[in-house]
C-alpha cells in the first residue's frame, strides 16, 4: 500500500516505516496517525513482515502531535484527537511482531509517546526526549501519563511531565526511557541487528512476552487520560499555549 506521509521498506523480514514530514520535524497530524494505523493493520496480515523499525525522516523522530490542528478545537474534538492517538499507539504496542523505535532526533510529546508505545527504543546520540505538553496548558494525550512512569518510575515521570524539560539520549538511557544509545550513523544498523536477533526466536513466545508486558491495556488509566485531556482542551490556558506556540512567543497562563 502507498502512504502519503510514511515511507516503507521491506528487507529480509524487517519492515522499516519512516515518518516523512521532515519540514515540520515529523509532527504527527491526524493523517499520519491514520496512515500509521493502516500500516500496522497491513503488516499484521503480511506474513513476510517479521518485525518493524519505526523512525523519522531527516534529523528528527517526531516533534509531537501537530499543534496547528489544536487551533480552536472543542471539547469533542479534543476527545477525538486523544482517542485516535490511543487507537494508533495501542495497535503498535499490541503488535505481536516486535517493533523497535529508532529515535534519530527530537522525540517530543506525541513523538516520545510514539517511541514509548514501541517495544524497544534505540536512540542516536543526537536524540532528545520530553513531554512539553505542560507548556501548551494540557497533558500528554497519547499514553504518556502511564507509559512514561512505566518506563522511568513515578518520581522521574512526575518531574518530566511537570517541568516539560527535554533530556538528551544519555539521560534517557540512564532513566530507562531508551534501551541503548548509539552513534547517529549506526542507528538503523544497530536497530536491525537487535530486531534480527528477536525475530530469530520463537514467534509465539515473542508475541506472548509482548502481550504480558503491555502497559496500555489498562482501560481505566487510558480513559482517565482521554477525559482529562479533552477537558483541558476547553480551557483558556490551552488556547493561550497553542497561540503562543504558533506566534513563537512565551505563553501567559492565567489558570482558567
Ligand atoms: N506541531 C506543529 N508544528 C511543529 C511541531 C508540532 N508539534 N513541532 C515543530 N513544528 C514545526 C514548526 O512550527 C516549524 O514550522 P515552520 O518552519 O513552518 O514555522 C518547524 O516545525 C520547525 O520547528 P521550529 O520550532 O522552527 O524549530 P526549532 O529548532 O526552533 O525547535 C522544537 C524545534 C521541536 C523544539 C520546537 O518546534 C517545538 O517545541 N515543537 C513543539 C513540541 C511540542 O510541544 N510537542 C508536543 C505537542 S502536543
Amino acid at each position: 500500500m502507498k502512504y502519503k506521509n510514511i515511507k516503507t521498506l521491506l528487507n529480509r523480514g524487517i519492515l522499516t516505516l519512516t515518518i516523512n514530514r521532515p519540514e515540520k520535524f515529523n509532527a504527527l497530524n491526524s493523517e499520519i496517525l491514520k496512515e500509521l494505523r493502516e500500516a500496522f493493520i497491513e503488516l499484521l496480515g503480511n506474513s513476510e513482515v517479521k518485525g518493524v523499525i519505526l523512525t523519522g525522516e531527516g534529523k528528527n523522530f517526531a516533534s509531537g502531535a501537530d499543534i496547528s490542528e489544536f487551533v480552536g478545537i472543542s471539547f469533542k474534538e479534543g476527545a477525538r484527537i486523544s482517542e485516535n492517538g490511543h487507537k494508533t499507539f495501542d495497535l503498535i504496542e499490541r503488535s505481536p511482531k516486535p517493533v523497535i523505535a529508532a529515535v534519530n532526533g527530537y522525540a517530543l510529546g506525541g513523538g516520545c509517546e510514539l517511541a514509548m508505545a514501541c517495544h524497544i527504543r534505540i536512540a542516536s546520540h543526537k536524540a532528545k526526549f520530553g513531554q512539553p505538553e505542560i507548556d501548551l496548558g494540557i497533558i500528554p494525550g497519547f499514553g504518556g501519563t502511564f507509559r512514561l512512569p512505566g518506563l522511568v518510575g513515578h518520581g522521574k515521570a512526575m518531574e518530566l511531565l511537570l517541568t516539560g524539560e527535554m533530556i538528551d539520549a544519555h539521560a534517557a538511557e540512564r532513566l530507562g526511557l531508551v534501551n541503548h544509545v548509539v552513534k547517529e550513523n549506526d542507528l538503523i544498523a544497530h536497530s536491525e541487528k537487535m530486531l534480527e536477533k528477536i525475530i530469530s526466536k520463537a514467534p509465539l513466545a515473542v508475541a506472548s512476552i509482548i502481550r504480558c508486558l503491555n502497559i496500555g491495556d489498562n482501560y481505566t488509566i487510558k480513559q482517565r487520560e482521554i477525559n482529562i485531556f479533552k477537558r483541558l482542551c476547553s480551557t483558556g490556558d490551552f488556547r493561550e499555549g497553542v497561540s503562543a506556540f504558533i506566534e513563537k512567543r512565551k505563553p501567559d497562563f492565567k489558570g482558567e
Side-chain angles (χ1 to χ4, degrees), residues 115-146:
M116 291 191 289
C118 298
H119 304 130
I120 287 178
R121 286 147 293 284
I122 312 284
S124 141
H125 70 286
K126 291 195 171 160
K128 288 204 163 59
F129 297 81
Q131 295 291 159
E133 288 87 351
I134 188 91
D135 296 325
L136 294 170
I138 43 167
I139 62 165
F142 298 165
T145 62
F146 50 89

Side-chain angles (χ1 to χ4, degrees), residues 45-155:
N46 183 346
S47 59
E48 280 178 48
V49 177
K50 310 289 182 205
V52 179
I53 292 175
L54 189 57
T55 192
E57 182 63 33
K59 295 197 161 119
N60 297 291
F61 183 70
S63 61
D66 187 334
I67 299 170
S68 67
E69 291 187 347
F70 288 170
V71 178
I73 61 167
S74 66
F75 190 78
K76 251 195 184 161
E77 287 154 340
R80 190 185 42 79
I81 287 173
S82 182
E83 281 160 1
N84 278 338
H86 276 290
K87 257 195 237 161
T88 305
F89 292 7
D90 284 354
L91 265 175
I92 297 172
E93 187 181 58
R94 288 179 192 155
S95 160
K97 303 178 187 186
V99 185
I100 293 185
V103 183
N104 51 320
Y106 284 124
L108 300 177
C112 187
E113 291 170 293
L114 176 59
M116 291 191 289
C118 298
H119 304 130
I120 287 178
R121 286 147 293 284
I122 312 284
S124 141
H125 70 286
K126 291 195 171 160
K128 288 204 163 59
F129 297 81
Q131 295 291 159
E133 288 87 351
I134 188 91
D135 296 325
L136 294 170
I138 43 167
I139 62 165
F142 298 165
T145 62
F146 50 89
R147 289 199 180 99
L148 186 62
L151 287 168
V152 308
H154 185 88

Side-chain angles (χ1 to χ4, degrees), residues 136-138 230-240 255-256:
L136 294 170
I138 43 167
K230 81 173 172 197
R231 253 186 270 141
L232 288 174
C233 284
S234 62
T235 63
D237 280 352
F238 173 65
R239 287 190 289 278
E240 167 61 9
E256 53 197 32

